[in-house]
Amino acid sequence: MIRLSYTLKCWALAASFFLAFYFITLSSDLSFSKYVYILAVSSLLFPIAKRAVGVMVDAFAPNTVLFDGLLLSLSINIIIWIATPFIVSLIIIAFILYSMGVMTRNISH
């Protein structure tokens, strides 16, 4: 059995979401074509967002299994995939604020 890395599994899942959205939604209604580029970016950044959501769930509810069961796992993954640009931007903002806090603490001491 081939064992793939977490990132490759996430990219495969995101690519399948993207292709399903592209072929099902865009074939029926072309007004959604403006969302194709942002969802392509979501597909590329999906592993980062999924890992961040997993870390946050482990921090706030350590005994909760988030990706258990097919329907719940699929719905959570789709929500994460759609919200990926927002999740990644929040991660970047949090990292910048953390870095600024570390730098100001080091400068003041």
Side-chain angles (χ1 to χ4, degrees):
M1 185 166 124
I2 299 174
R3 294 188 58 152
L4 298 175
S5 71
Y6 180 80
T7 305
L8 291 177
K9 288 178 186 178
C10 287
W11 276 337
L13 185 63
S16 64
F17 290 157
F18 181 76
L19 290 174
F21 174 82
Y22 187 79
F23 288 116
I24 294 170
T25 307
L26 291 179
S27 64
S28 63
D29 188 10
L30 293 177
S31 65
F32 287 108
S33 64
K34 57 187 169 191
Y35 300 114
V36 169
Y37 297 113
I38 195 137
L39 292 178
V41 170
S42 291
S43 298
L44 291 175
L45 299 176
F46 183 69
I48 297 169
K50 188 169 178 186
R51 181 73 71 174
V53 169
V55 167
M56 292 304 292
V57 167
D58 287 342
F60 290 118
N63 296 328
T64 304
V65 178
L66 186 63
F67 301 106
D68 188 27
L70 179 62
L71 186 59
L72 180 64
S73 177
L74 188 63
S75 62
I76 290 172
N77 282 320
I78 289 172
I79 291 169
I80 293 171
W81 176 65
I82 290 172
T84 293
F86 305 109
I87 295 170
V88 171
S89 63
L90 289 175
I91 292 169
I92 292 170
I93 290 169
F95 180 72
I96 290 170
L97 292 175
Y98 174 77
S99 298
M100 288 173 49
V102 168
M103 285 178 32
T104 55
R105 186 174 35 161
N106 288 339
I107 290 173
S108 66
H109 286 66

